[in-house]
């Protein structure tokens, strides 16, 4: 028997899914160990393996927030930035949009640049936008820069020369000289050779900033797994949903910044609905993404560390990253989000989270502040979890809010529940209404440890009538990792290129080499696309490739209408060329049950008060429509009848589903539960 393992490290829990070749899975959920994430991974993997032979594990797929945290917390390595003479100030000057509260701040101070001005260096060279050498590279200037970088003790360098996407020769030579004295060197043509100097520079810098950390982390992870007896290859999910080797992830670390959230969207995309909204609520954040035609929306630029606005990141307020990523909106609202009172006495929830240490008060690990999980426990929605819960501690925490607010404990808990639901709805708003998409025709696919408790309330705000809770929803992101194929993308900007075939062929060869596959293999899929714009415009849109100019123009016009709401025609020009190469992952004989196939029955949920959940069991839960606390039936997936009208609760091993009044729960294929509004299953 062979096994595959998916590992997703979140802010509160580390989730592990183990799947064998028959398709059966085992899951483990452990508190994340922020002092050493690998310790939590080892604990989860050990628990999921049970008594199985670790030598039979053939593949480990990992989603990590290491790169994200390094950028947000500014804990990456010191980086030297090397560019063309005359352009060293591009990064220190940067670009910042003064939004929201910044707009009227007379003492506003922009955030520091990703590289300190004194660590920006110039070399003598110049290439035109079409690749002609205007000024030959002066090797002596590069050696002087290399010596100064080494003298300062900087161990990582980012090289981004002007128009290197059109002719990488100078960049390659600069990197060759620097590598003689600088341990880690990253070039823009290795990372993402596209036009737009600032975005290309910041993308290269971020890869150099987190690359050494990623390489060290993955090396230590392989060593710790080997100590368990697991010597299988380690793969990492990229932000765009593809899976790559650990070695490639270390070289292109910037592509893993949205690694974890991408895996959950893949699980949602396989839930059986062509048009769906992925809704992932964990311990620290909630994330939303639109899936259309069975495929998640992809963006080629996102911002890290920027200010939030209605669940999204405002362009210009963070560091722009030019790399494919599943297009997510995210808010700081999760089960561990702390409820607090501002100086005016107004109740707030998040974005600060209790995380895994000390965690919500009800965990009994030393936390005392009220959190969303504590509120849900007080309301009766939650009675059990992957760790023991103590209701008395949750009640004490909520009393810290109820007293100053002058309300009953359950009213304070209800307010926390409603506020966090409204915050999460803002993420759905960003990916739908704000982009001109009517969400009413979509199904909301809810997962994560806290998602199914809030999903119906979030859906109500948008008139969504169907909520899908997949099997093993509490570890859906880890299961989604096992659904990912080996895949990577390559891009190259070329202005006024003649025949595009040599460009496409070169990109395909590079991407296939990254994956270690042959483009001639019949199982390898190649998708081609191009960046198109109207002549005279600055920005472009990506459309599927066609050798027919008329067809390209029609596709671009349709995409333009979809994005901007304007039906416009005109002469077009091609700016860049893209390929995505996909190959089946090893040991994919059976898809993971969380995505397709028949899952093993979920184990019964831990005991609900006063007895185990199932037929004939009930407890008191708070529903405003019913006037407060009412006695509601409590079921597991195994005991769920064909129709269960709300109010009701369905307890999972890793999560709990709340069925409000006017909603009906029903079992569905692949072990899922469907909630429908209006009482019709």
């Amino acid at each position: 028997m062979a096994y595959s393992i998916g590992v997703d490290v979140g802010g509160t829990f580390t989730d592990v899914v183990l799947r064998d070749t028959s398709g059966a899975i085992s899951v483990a959920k452990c508190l994340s160990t922020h002092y050493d994430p690998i310790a939590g991974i080892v604990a989860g993997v050990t628990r999921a393996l049970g008594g199985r032979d670790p030598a039979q594990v053939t593949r480990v797929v990992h989603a990590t927030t290491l790169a994200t945290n390094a950028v947000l917390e500014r804990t990456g390595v010191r980086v030297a930035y090397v560019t063309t003479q005359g352009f060293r100030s591009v990064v220190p000057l940067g670009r910042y949009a003064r939004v929201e509260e910044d707009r009227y701040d007379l003492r506003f101070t922009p955030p520091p640049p990703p590289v300190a001005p004194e660590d920006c260096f110039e070399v003598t060279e110049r290439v035109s936008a079409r690749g002609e050498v205007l000024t030959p590279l002066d090797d002596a200037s590069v050696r002087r820069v290399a010596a100064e970088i080494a003298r300062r003790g900087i161990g990582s360098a980012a090289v981004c020369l002007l128009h290197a996407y059109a002719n990488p020769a100078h960049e390659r030579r600069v990197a060759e000289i620097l590598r003689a004295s600088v341990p880690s060197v990253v070039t823009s043509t290795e990372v993402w050779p596209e036009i737009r100097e600032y975005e290309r520079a910041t993308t290269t810098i971020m890869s150099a900033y987190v690359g050494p950390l990623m390489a060290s982390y993955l090396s230590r992870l392989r060593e710790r797994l080997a100590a368990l007896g697991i010597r299988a290859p380690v793969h990492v999910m990229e932000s765009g949903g593809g899976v790559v080797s650990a070695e490639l992830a270390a070289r292109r670390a910037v592509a893993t910044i949205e690694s974890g959230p991408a895996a959950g969207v893949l699980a949602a995309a396989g839930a059986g609905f062509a048009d769906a909204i992925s809704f992932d609520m964990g311990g620290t954040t909630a994330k939303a993404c639109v899936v259309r035609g069975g495929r998640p929306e992809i963006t080629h630029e996102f911002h890290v560390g920027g200010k939030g606005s209605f669940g999204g990141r405002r362009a210009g307020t963070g560091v722009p990253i030019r790399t494919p990523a599943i297009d997510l909106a995210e808010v700081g609202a999760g089960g561990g989000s702390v409820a607090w009172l501002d100086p005016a006495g107004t109740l707030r929830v998040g974005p600060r989270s209790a995380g895994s240490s000390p965690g919500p008060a009800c965990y009994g690990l030393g936390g005392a502040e009220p959190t969303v999980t504590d509120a849900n426990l007080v309301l009766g929605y939650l009675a059990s979890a992957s760790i023991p819960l103590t209701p008395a501690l949750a009640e004490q925490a909520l009393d810290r809010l109820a007293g100053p607010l002058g309300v009953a404990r359950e009213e304070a808990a209800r307010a926390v529940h409603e506020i966090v639901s409204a915050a999460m709805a803002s993420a759905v708003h960003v990916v739908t209404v704000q982009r001109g998409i009517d969400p009413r025709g979509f199904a909301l696919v809810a997962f994560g440890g806290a998602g199914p408790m809030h999903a119906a309330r979030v859906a109500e705000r948008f008139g969504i009538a169907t909520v899908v809770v997949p099997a093993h929803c509490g570890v859906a992101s880890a299961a989604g990792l096992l659904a990912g194929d080996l895949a990577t993308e390559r891009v190259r900007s070329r202005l006024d290129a003649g025949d595009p075939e040599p460009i496409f062929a070169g990109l395909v060869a590079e991407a296939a080499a990254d994956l270690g596959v042959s483009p001639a293999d019949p199982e390898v899929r190649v998708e081609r696309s191009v960046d198109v714009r109207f002549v005279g415009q600055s920005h472009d849109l990506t459309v599927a490739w066609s050798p027919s100019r008329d067809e390209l123009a029609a596709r671009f016009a349709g995409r333009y209408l979809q994005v901007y709401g304007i039906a416009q025609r005109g002469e077009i020009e091609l700016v860049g060329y893209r390929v995505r190469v996909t190959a089946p992952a090893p040991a994919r004989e059976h898809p993971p049950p969380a995505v397709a196939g028949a899952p093993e029955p979920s184990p019964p949920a831990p005991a609900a008060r006063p007895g185990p959940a199932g037929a004939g069991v009930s407890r008191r839960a708070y529903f405003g429509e019913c006037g407060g606390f009412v006695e509601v039936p409590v079921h597991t997936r195994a005991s769920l009848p064909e129709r269960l009208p709300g109010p009701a609760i369905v307890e999972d091993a890793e999560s709990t589903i709340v069925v409000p009044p006017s909603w009906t729960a029903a079992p569905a294929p692949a072990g899922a539960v469907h909630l429908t509004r209006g009482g019709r299953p």
Side-chain angles (χ1 to χ4, degrees):
M1 182 73 71
Y3 305 99
S4 299
I5 293 178
V7 180
D8 176 42
V9 179
T12 304
F13 286 98
T14 294
D15 300 335
V16 178
V17 169
L18 181 143
R19 185 192 71 217
D20 64 29
T21 48
S22 72
I25 74 171
S26 299
V27 304
K29 204 173 183 74
C30 302
L31 287 171
S32 294
T33 48
H34 298 292
Y35 62 91
D36 178 13
I38 298 176
I41 294 173
V42 170
V45 169
T46 302
R47 186 180 301 178
L49 278 172
R52 299 175 181 88
D53 181 4
Q56 298 301 311
V57 175
T58 59
R59 182 175 182 239
V60 177
V61 190
H62 183 28
T64 174
T65 58
L66 179 79
T68 310
N69 293 340
V71 174
L72 295 178
E73 298 167 9
R74 301 188 72 85
T75 56
V77 302
R78 185 179 176 185
V79 175
Y81 174 59
V82 181
T83 188
T84 302
Q85 188 174 28
F87 289 85
R88 66 182 299 271
S89 296
V90 166
V91 171
L93 286 174
R95 186 186 304 140
Y96 192 85
R98 292 184 63 168
V99 298
E100 298 153 348
E101 67 272 16
D102 293 341
R103 198 165 285 148
Y104 306 107
D105 185 357
L106 298 180
R107 294 180 175 86
F108 169 74
T109 301
V115 175
E118 62 270 20
D119 290 339
C120 296
F121 301 91
E122 295 179 345
V123 296
T124 303
E125 68 86 41
R126 187 67 178 264
V127 172
S128 76
R130 286 168 175 76
E132 302 104 340
V133 175
L134 303 179
T135 303
L137 176 66
D138 179 7
D139 285 4
S141 69
V142 182
R143 293 190 179 94
R144 286 193 296 271
V145 166
E148 181 60 20
I149 293 172
R151 187 190 69 80
R152 297 186 185 187
I154 303 175
S156 186
V159 183
C160 183
L161 303 184
L162 190 67
H163 302 308
Y165 58 84
N167 183 346
H170 286 180
E171 256 195 14
R172 290 171 180 166
R173 177 58 180 159
V174 170
E176 179 185 349
I177 296 173
L178 289 178
R179 285 181 177 130
S181 55
V182 181
S184 176
V185 179
V186 178
T187 69
S188 71
T189 48
E190 294 170 336
V191 175
W192 208 246
E194 272 194 289
I195 61 172
R196 305 195 188 286
E197 298 307 317
Y198 181 64
E199 288 82 356
R200 186 160 57 92
T202 55
T203 302
T204 308
I205 289 167
M206 287 298 103
S207 201
Y209 186 66
V210 301
L213 296 181
M214 182 68 72
S216 173
Y217 169 80
L218 292 174
S219 176
R220 288 185 289 112
L221 176 61
R222 285 194 294 261
E223 291 173 0
R224 298 279 286 276
L225 292 175
L228 293 179
I230 298 174
R231 302 186 182 278
V234 175
H235 292 98
V236 178
M237 177 155 284
E238 288 191 323
S239 306
V243 174
V244 299
S245 68
E247 293 75 16
L248 181 58
R251 293 202 312 269
R252 295 176 58 189
V254 71
T256 68
I257 284 181
E258 293 290 343
S259 169
V265 177
L266 293 185
F273 287 79
D275 294 332
I277 299 168
S278 166
F279 174 62
D280 176 6
M281 181 183 178
T284 55
T285 59
K287 297 162 278 286
C289 175
V290 167
V291 175
R292 288 199 275 194
R295 303 185 66 172
E297 293 286 311
I298 300 290
T299 181
H300 290 97
E301 181 179 327
F302 59 98
H303 293 73
V304 180
K307 295 210 171 195
S309 176
F310 302 103
R313 290 294 174 189
R314 294 294 293 271
T317 65
V319 179
I321 304 294
R322 295 281 289 184
T323 188
I326 288 178
D327 198 1
L328 293 155
E330 181 174 334
V331 291
S337 294
V338 174
W340 52 285
L341 300 177
D342 67 15
T346 302
L347 179 61
R348 309 278 187 179
V349 181
R352 187 168 61 87
S353 173
S356 60
S357 179
C362 60
Y363 283 10
L365 300 176
E369 294 181 293
T371 68
V372 173
T373 296
D374 296 311
N376 286 332
L377 185 58
V378 167
L379 293 172
Y381 301 153
L382 186 64
S384 58
S386 54
I387 64 173
L389 303 180
T390 305
L393 294 176
E395 292 167 357
Q396 292 174 16
L398 264 298
D399 286 343
R400 298 178 62 180
L401 293 177
L405 289 173
V407 300
R409 178 193 299 150
E410 59 270 18
E411 288 296 329
R414 180 190 180 190
V416 171
H417 183 88
E418 291 185 350
I419 289 172
V420 81
S421 293
M424 291 182 292
S426 68
V428 176
H429 185 276
V430 164
V431 297
T432 56
V433 177
Q434 193 168 304
R435 298 176 183 175
I437 299 172
D438 186 346
R440 290 174 293 184
F442 288 71
L444 186 73
V445 182
F447 53 95
M453 272 187 290
H454 296 262
R457 295 305 193 188
V458 172
E460 285 176 349
R461 295 173 179 269
F462 297 93
I464 297 171
T466 302
V467 172
V468 180
V469 183
H472 304 290
C473 58
V475 292
S477 290
L481 290 168
L482 299 181
D485 288 316
L486 295 175
T488 190
E489 291 195 28
R490 284 287 183 169
V491 64
R492 183 155 293 122
S493 293
R494 282 289 188 273
L495 303 178
D496 300 330
D499 182 8
E501 286 305 318
I503 300 174
F504 278 131
L507 294 174
V508 169
E510 291 175 8
D514 285 342
L515 299 180
V517 300
S518 169
D521 189 325
E523 292 188 323
V524 173
R525 303 192 308 274
V526 177
E527 299 172 67
R528 300 180 176 191
S529 57
V530 286
D531 298 334
V532 186
R533 66 187 181 190
F534 287 118
V535 172
Q537 290 195 332
S538 176
H539 295 278
D540 47 73
L541 296 172
T542 303
V543 299
W545 164 250
S546 170
S548 167
R549 193 78 171 189
D550 291 340
E551 179 62 24
L552 274 182
R555 291 176 182 177
F556 174 68
R559 179 66 175 154
Y560 198 94
L561 176 63
Q562 182 185 56
V563 173
Y564 298 114
I566 300 172
Q568 186 158 317
R569 297 280 178 172
E571 185 182 353
I572 63 170
E573 63 178 348
L574 308 187
V575 179
Y577 302 82
R578 301 176 184 272
V579 300
R580 181 177 179 85
V581 175
T582 305
R588 280 287 303 276
E589 293 88 350
H590 298 274
V595 180
E600 293 182 318
S602 296
R609 295 168 295 170
V617 175
S618 65
R619 71 167 174 261
R620 286 168 55 80
Y622 191 100
F623 292 94
E625 302 96 321
C626 302
F629 280 100
V630 293
E631 201 74 18
V632 301
V634 180
H635 285 266
T636 65
R637 294 188 193 234
S639 71
L640 188 64
E642 290 188 8
R643 294 183 71 255
L644 177 65
I649 291 171
V650 181
E651 291 194 326
D652 234 348
E654 305 96 20
S655 187
T656 295
I657 305 169
V658 173
V659 188
S662 79
W663 288 80
T664 298
V673 174
H674 287 186
L675 276 61
T676 53
R677 195 176 184 193
R680 293 188 301 275

